[in-house]
């Protein structure tokens, strides 16, 4: 990786694997943004991290590098998995902030300038969460600067748990990722939730109200029902329980889990058929009211079209 940008504030990394058709669009967008705002290159380093693709990603990136010589390109010698790919970038990162931008999400004009302005105004930030649009709706209503709100991470999870896992919406400090390498779920697909909850626990969190990102739910690497169920009801719950190690109170964690399961109780019933022992153990977090809504929510879940969130 080229480290000629040692004075840069932000690394924008595009992790990719066998998705050259999406990468084309993303690199076109980055090129146009830099042409519109050339001073971005004084503060932003752009890196493509290829997770050992075997399609034409290499040729695509090389062609763009001829046009945009500011693009750095690194290729893993083997597929490290999504989080493994993020890890090697964090380990090599030389800037204050690190932002993983998925190769298939839609970004709006001016987003890099917008993010950079926030980081310059708030140099002590530990976590920046960018609002986004999903199914034509705003991802969250919570917004503003939170200096020392110990529960902001849990509050954001309760409002929309997906936002803390959506890497394109999250800007981190690389050291706040690397310090978590000892966590037993560090290489799990749920790991971005660990990164986000830990970063929020440190204070100095900024959540934007403006929406510069359109989430693309159609290309998730966890699209099977079995994988989604395990993420939602095994790994997310474990990560929430482990967050007491970062200073979140056990009572606040239990409240968050209870409210999360209340919203997800229909899907929890499906999990009973996938992992019945673990699914049954989660009922200790249920209130009587949550139990009473199960039949109605299950019917609603089964009779409407839905997608993985």
């Amino acid at each position: 990786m080229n480290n000629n940008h040692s004075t840069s504030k932000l690394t924008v990394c595009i992790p990719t694997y066998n998705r050259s058709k999406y990468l084309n669009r993303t690199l076109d967008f980055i090129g146009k943004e830099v042409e519109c705002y050339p001073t971005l290159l004084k503060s932003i380093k752009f890196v493509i991290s290829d997770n050992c693709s075997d399609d034409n990603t290499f040729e695509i990136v090389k062609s763009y590098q001829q046009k945009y010589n500011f693009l750095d390109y690194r290729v893993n010698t083997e597929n490290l998995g999504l989080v493994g790919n993020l890890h090697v970038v964090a380990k090599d990162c030389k800037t204050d902030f690190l932002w993983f931008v998925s190769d298939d999400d839609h970004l709006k004009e001016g987003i890099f300038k917008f993010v950079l302005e926030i980081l310059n105004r708030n140099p002590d930030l530990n976590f920046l969460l960018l609002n986004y649009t999903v199914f034509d709706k705003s991802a969250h209503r919570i917004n503003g600067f939170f200096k020392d709100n110990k529960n902001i991470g849990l509050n954001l999870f309760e409002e929309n748990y997906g936002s803390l896992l959506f890497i394109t919406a999250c800007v981190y400090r690389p050291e706040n990722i690397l310090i978590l390498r000892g966590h037993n779920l560090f290489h799990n697909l749920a790991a971005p939730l660990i990164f986000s909850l830990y970063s929020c626990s440190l204070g100095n969190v900024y959540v934007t109200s403006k929406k510069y990102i359109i989430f693309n739910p159609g290309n998730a690497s966890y699209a099977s029902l079995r994988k989604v169920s395990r993420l939602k009801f095994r790994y997310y719950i474990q990560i929430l329980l482990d967050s007491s190690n970062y200073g979140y109170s056990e009572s606040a964690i239990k409240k968050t889990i209870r409210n999360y399961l209340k919203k997800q109780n229909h899907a929890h019933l499906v999990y009973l058929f996938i992992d019945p022992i673990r699914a049954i153990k989660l009922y200790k977090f249920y209130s009587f009211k949550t139990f009473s809504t199960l039949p109605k929510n299950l019917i609603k879940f089964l009779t409407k079209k839905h997608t993985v969130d």
Side-chain angles (χ1 to χ4, degrees), residues 100-114:
F100 301 112
V101 175
S102 180
D103 54 16
D104 64 336
D105 292 310
H106 295 267
L107 308 179
K108 295 183 180 180
E109 182 181 339
I111 186 170
F112 298 120
K113 181 173 179 287
F114 174 69

Side-chain angles (χ1 to χ4, degrees), residues 83-278:
V83 180
N85 196 15
L86 305 185
H87 175 217
V88 294
V89 174
K91 192 166 60 175
D92 288 347
C93 185
K94 306 298 182 185
T95 55
D96 293 337
F97 297 96
L98 175 57
W99 179 17
F100 301 112
V101 175
S102 180
D103 54 16
D104 64 336
D105 292 310
H106 295 267
L107 308 179
K108 295 183 180 180
E109 182 181 339
I111 186 170
F112 298 120
K113 181 173 179 287
F114 174 69
V115 168
L116 197 58
E117 287 172 350
I118 293 173
L119 298 181
N120 284 332
R121 289 198 308 267
N122 303 277
D124 296 327
L125 277 186
N126 281 303
F127 184 61
L128 170 61
L129 181 63
L130 302 167
N131 197 3
Y132 58 96
T133 302
V134 55
F135 300 124
D136 297 322
K137 294 182 180 180
S138 177
H140 50 79
R141 294 191 182 94
I142 296 173
N143 63 82
F145 178 73
F146 302 88
K147 183 175 177 59
D148 194 25
N149 182 340
K150 201 61 184 177
N151 288 327
I152 184 60
L154 297 178
N155 294 341
L156 289 166
F157 182 90
E158 279 194 45
E159 185 182 42
N160 180 359
Y161 70 90
S163 64
L164 296 182
L165 290 129
F166 179 31
I167 59 172
T168 307
C170 300
V171 181
Y172 301 102
R173 286 190 175 273
E175 63 268 25
N176 292 342
I177 294 176
L178 297 176
I179 201 172
L180 297 165
R181 283 178 288 187
H183 197 289
N184 65 337
L185 290 179
F186 183 84
H187 290 285
N188 187 278
L189 278 174
L193 178 58
I194 308 171
F195 307 159
S196 298
L197 285 174
Y198 174 72
S199 297
C200 286
S201 76
L202 301 174
N204 291 338
V205 174
Y206 193 95
V207 186
T208 70
S209 57
K210 291 183 177 179
K211 300 178 288 294
Y212 278 90
I213 304 167
I214 302 173
F215 174 55
N216 180 2
N219 296 307
S221 52
Y222 47 86
S224 77
L225 182 61
R226 185 176 294 272
K227 285 184 178 180
V228 171
S229 296
R230 283 179 174 162
L231 281 169
K232 286 185 173 182
F233 301 112
R234 180 177 176 181
Y235 301 126
Y236 296 174
I237 299 297
Q238 181 183 334
I239 290 168
L240 286 169
L241 291 171
D242 289 347
S243 68
S244 61
N245 296 325
Y246 316 138
Y248 293 103
S249 73
E250 291 189 6
S251 60
I253 292 169
K254 288 178 180 178
K255 172 180 172 290
T256 297
I257 293 174
R258 187 167 60 250
N259 290 337
Y260 169 66
L261 291 174
K262 183 178 178 181
K263 292 179 180 178
Q264 295 289 330
N265 60 17
H266 51 282
H268 186 199
L269 284 174
V270 176
Y271 186 53
L272 275 169
F273 296 95
I274 295 172
D275 195 341
I277 294 175
R278 284 194 172 90

Side-chain angles (χ1 to χ4, degrees), residues 33-44 113 116:
E33 286 292 284
V34 170
E35 287 173 356
C36 289
Y37 309 102
T39 57
L40 290 175
L41 294 181
K42 293 181 179 179
S43 303
I44 301 180
K113 181 173 179 287
L116 197 58

